[in-house]
Amino acid sequence: MAAYTLMLVEDDQTLCAALAQRLEEAGFGVVCAQDFSDVLGCFVREKPQLVLLDIGLPIYNGFYWCAQIRALSKVPILFLSAAADNMNIVLAVQMGGDDFVAKPFSVEVLLAKVRALLRRCYDFKADEALLASGGVVLKLAEGCLSWDGGSVELTRNEMKILKTLMQRPGAFVPKETIMQALWESESFIDANTLSVNINRLRRKLEEAGLTGFIRTKKGVGYAAGEG
Amino acid sequence: MADRAWSWRQGARLVFCYLLARWKLIFTVALSLGVFLLVEVLYGHPLEAYGYACLLVVTLLFLLSLCDFARFVRRHLALRRHLQLLEQGLPGLPGARNLIEEDFRNLALELERRLRRAESLAEQERSELLAYYTLWMHQVKTPIAALKLLLERDIRASTELKRIEQYVEMALSYLKLDEVSQDFLARECPVKELATQAIKSCSLLFIEKGLRLELGELSGSALTDEKWLCFVLEQLLSNAAKYTPAGGCVRVYRLDGAPCTLVVEDNGIGIRAEDIPHLGEKGFTGYNGHEDKRSTGLGLYLCTRVMARLGHRLRFESQLGQGTKAYLELERRSMDIA
């Protein structure tokens, strides 16, 4: 199902595994380089559409592999590094990197950059375009929520809220997590505004015929879809 | 005139020092003349010839002494000049005239050699330490990144992790402060982007505490280094979050008109008037800092230094109990490179 395969070159096993899991959740295929003496071999074998490359690697560093890959391919390369001084960023771009994310990063930012690069290089139409929960489908590209018998147009904030909830269908998401997602898209709202927003959204859905889709558990958070 | 009086005194002192240095010679001459006088008197010779010989000897010695004195003064002045030029080492130290002077000269040169060696050793140790701490800070960021992913669902843990991340950034900035000019990339940055980038990075600190954040007017751009200015903004924002009680509000906006001035305003506990002038001092914690055991007095010191390095200025206004405003004046002053 994953149309795009990302290659992850990161020698920290924990970070590698956690990041791979998050990228897979976001709908990407992920290959982790295992043999750091032959990253290029792995690249040739797996033919990924994008490479996430750490700079500090055993044997050869990320710059070396970037140059090696560049000699073969125009694949987008995103550097991931803790050493985010301007020097390294400039060097990374000079070696043929397309972007740079400083560790520790926020997954949202990383995903946004990955998607932006894919869009630029492959005419990528966000795979995240559809999120479904119990027959209700969130169409991100069109900004609407549809279900058997109806649909509503959503505002930007409403879409962000539903997206956060529907990424884990049925599970209760703390309001702080939703707020964080909203802040990430530059809506710096507080808890009161969030509950106003959610009540308005809930009313909007009810008026359109979708009742009980968003549930509240006091002190825990909100959930969308079947529990 | 005072100058002349000083130089007379200086001259008299030189003469005195010279006589002191040659007292054995003077004593020997006087003793010899005395012995001759005694012998002449005991023999009952007329003293005319003796007096004449004395006059000749003393005149001759005086003339020779004048030359000797001039050399004495020249050497004294040359050595004094070396004291002032010590920074450049001891090349061209005047040659030694005798064994003792030679010993002193060797002593001075040996001391100088040892000093240089100690200095270069210290410099090497410092740079090794610097390299290690920099490495360590980059190393620790990878496990932080991993933890961040693992703990994403836990708001409290993520907030603490964000604090750790900020401490690492602070330490890194502290190390790199003296090299800011090397790690400096000035470009026109839209003010709004700077503000939102910093706010997003600190979002947890606000959300967890239940603080409101308002963005005001943020048009235009400023010539600055994005990364370093964001570091300062993040510090100021996290300070605002720290010293504003739950339910409070932090506002970020720019003042009208040029030069561009960004303001981070909170309605928190405020800063005592007597503390404000000391905010940028290293290790200054003030009244608020004493209350809060986490304060080290390093954050604002770093901010002030970084801002100076960027050619900007940071100042504060505060009303106790009503809030604090931090003004980031982003005009380009001449960069402080020293």
Side-chain angles (χ1 to χ4, degrees):
Chain A
M1 121 118 202
Y4 291 93
T5 304
L6 316 181
M7 177 164 143
L8 188 51
V9 188
E10 161 64 62
D11 60 324
D12 185 276
Q13 290 301 320
T14 316
L15 178 59
C16 196
L19 187 55
Q21 193 198 335
R22 290 306 314 272
L23 291 170
E24 275 162 7
E25 278 172 22
F28 295 107
V30 181
V31 185
C32 295
Q34 302 293 339
D35 178 4
F36 293 102
S37 63
D38 188 23
V39 171
L40 194 65
C42 180
F43 174 78
V44 171
R45 248 188 340 272
E46 305 288 347
K47 300 182 188 61
Q49 274 77 41
L50 184 142
V51 180
L52 294 159
L53 193 54
D54 187 15
I55 292 179
L57 293 170
I59 315 176
Y60 298 106
N61 69 17
F63 295 132
Y64 172 85
W65 290 118
C66 181
Q68 294 282 307
I69 291 172
R70 266 289 163 270
L72 294 182
S73 158
K74 287 199 170 88
V75 69
I77 297 177
L78 179 61
F79 273 103
L80 274 182
S81 176
D85 26 33
N86 286 323
M87 251 307 278
N88 264 341
I89 297 175
V90 170
L91 198 58
V93 173
Q94 275 174 356
M95 299 303 278
D98 293 275
D99 209 338
F100 194 103
V101 177
K103 284 184 202 168
F105 45 82
S106 106
V107 183
E108 289 293 323
V109 171
L110 183 71
L111 281 172
K113 291 206 172 195
V114 166
R115 285 183 187 127
L117 278 177
L118 289 176
R119 214 159 21 234
R120 200 156 69 215
C121 302
Y122 302 108
D123 190 28
F124 163 79
K125 304 270 190 315
D127 266 12
E128 47 154 1
L130 294 180
L131 278 173
S133 166
V136 182
V137 177
L138 179 65
K139 294 175 180 161
L140 289 163
E142 292 145 61
C144 75
L145 188 73
S146 63
W147 60 92
D148 190 22
S151 79
V152 289
E153 296 270 319
L154 299 169
T155 65
R156 211 168 66 96
N157 273 4
E158 289 167 347
M159 205 161 74
K160 197 84 194 173
I161 293 170
L162 280 177
K163 186 184 156 198
T164 314
L165 293 178
M166 290 172 73
Q167 273 168 348
R168 287 193 280 160
F172 279 94
V173 180
K175 60 178 193 303
E176 287 89 350
T177 306
I178 305 172
M179 280 166 70
Q180 231 191 317
L182 285 165
W183 280 48
E184 206 52 65
S185 59
E186 296 176 23
S187 290
F188 305 118
I189 62 164
D190 60 10
N192 290 335
T193 317
L194 177 70
S195 58
V196 170
N197 270 336
I198 286 192
N199 286 335
R200 197 188 298 138
L201 174 61
R202 189 181 277 144
R203 236 181 358 257
K204 189 170 168 180
L205 296 182
E206 277 166 8
E207 278 165 16
L210 185 65
T211 47
F213 184 61
I214 300 178
R215 288 168 300 131
T216 314
K217 196 185 263 182
K218 231 181 152 62
V220 181
Y222 301 97
E226 303 306 309
Chain B
M1 282 298 109
D3 202 39
R4 163 101 23 112
W6 183 84
S7 74
W8 275 118
R9 207 174 322 140
Q10 186 85 345
R13 196 176 147 260
L14 275 177
V15 172
F16 177 72
C17 288
Y18 175 74
L19 293 178
L20 209 63
R22 298 279 183 269
W23 76 272
K24 279 182 188 159
L25 184 73
I26 295 165
F27 179 75
T28 313
V29 171
L31 191 69
S32 316
L33 293 180
V35 169
F36 279 120
L37 180 65
L38 186 68
V39 172
E40 296 286 319
V41 168
L42 289 180
Y43 274 83
H45 289 169
L47 289 179
E48 194 188 336
Y50 168 75
Y52 187 57
C54 270
L55 191 68
L56 279 180
V57 167
V58 168
T59 309
L60 215 61
L61 275 178
F62 180 72
L63 288 177
L64 285 175
S65 295
L66 274 186
C67 295
D68 191 40
F69 178 67
R71 259 206 316 265
F72 178 81
V73 171
R74 263 204 309 279
R75 280 173 75 76
H76 171 67
L77 292 180
L79 287 171
R80 285 261 306 242
R81 241 192 333 276
H82 267 287
L83 193 62
Q84 279 156 12
L85 297 175
L86 209 54
E87 285 298 306
Q88 299 151 29
L90 287 174
L93 194 66
R97 292 266 179 68
N98 56 44
L99 198 61
I100 303 298
E101 278 192 14
E102 170 114 30
D103 289 340
F104 276 115
R105 191 172 186 277
N106 287 339
L107 203 62
L109 290 175
E110 176 61 23
L111 278 176
E112 197 223 356
R113 250 195 310 278
R114 290 195 185 186
L115 183 68
R116 298 273 168 245
R117 207 164 46 220
E119 272 174 359
S120 75
L121 217 64
E123 178 56 34
Q124 193 189 337
E125 266 170 25
R126 204 193 78 91
S127 74
E128 273 170 18
L129 211 61
L130 193 75
Y132 173 66
Y133 282 135
T134 309
L135 175 71
W136 183 86
M137 275 171 241
H138 289 151
Q139 278 179 327
V140 82
K141 279 186 186 176
T142 297
I144 290 179
L147 267 184
K148 204 165 166 176
L149 289 175
L150 296 173
L151 296 175
E152 215 177 15
R153 311 244 192 266
D154 186 335
I155 297 291
R156 297 283 306 277
S158 299
T159 313
E160 290 306 312
L161 199 57
K162 177 67 202 168
R163 294 215 171 91
I164 295 178
E165 191 187 324
Q166 272 197 331
Y167 287 142
V168 172
E169 281 305 325
M170 264 169 78
L172 205 55
S173 311
Y174 185 81
L175 285 188
K176 285 212 233 150
L177 203 56
D178 294 323
E179 313 167 38
V180 169
S181 41
Q182 288 170 33
D183 187 34
F184 182 85
L185 213 65
R187 63 179 189 90
E188 275 305 316
C189 303
V191 175
K192 184 161 188 183
E193 238 170 64
L194 292 170
T196 49
Q197 193 184 330
I199 292 168
K200 281 189 209 171
S201 165
C202 307
S203 62
L204 269 174
L205 305 179
F206 288 84
I207 293 171
E208 198 244 1
K209 202 167 173 183
L211 297 172
R212 243 167 349 110
L213 189 120
E214 284 175 15
L215 280 189
E217 168 65 22
L218 282 168
S219 58
S221 62
L223 186 64
T224 189
D225 178 286
E226 186 186 348
K227 202 161 63 79
W228 283 98
L229 195 79
C230 278
F231 167 78
V232 173
L233 272 172
E234 279 180 41
Q235 285 292 321
L236 294 173
L237 283 168
S238 68
N239 264 3
K242 187 151 87 177
Y243 295 117
T244 304
C249 175
V250 176
R251 297 186 59 218
V252 182
Y253 54 94
R254 71 165 284 185
L255 295 181
D256 278 340
C260 182
T261 299
L262 267 179
V263 187
V264 178
E265 180 185 336
D266 65 58
N267 61 359
I269 59 174
I271 304 165
R272 296 181 162 229
E274 66 264 29
D275 285 354
I276 292 179
H278 302 290
L279 286 178
E281 288 169 16
K282 191 177 185 175
F284 180 79
T285 49
Y287 182 81
N288 295 341
H290 291 313
E291 294 284 287
D292 175 10
K293 296 285 177 285
R294 270 207 262 243
S295 173
T296 52
L298 215 59
L300 290 184
Y301 162 74
L302 286 172
C303 287
T304 309
R305 290 277 312 267
V306 170
M307 288 293 275
R309 284 288 153 109
L310 296 176
H312 307 328
R313 208 167 76 97
L314 179 64
R315 67 185 169 85
F316 295 89
E317 274 176 19
S318 184
Q319 284 272 300
L320 203 58
Q322 299 191 4
T324 305
K325 289 182 191 175
Y327 293 89
L328 293 91
E329 297 172 354
L330 304 183
E331 79 234 65
R332 305 281 311 142
R333 289 157 204 268
S334 61
M335 247 214 292
D336 167 17
I337 294 192

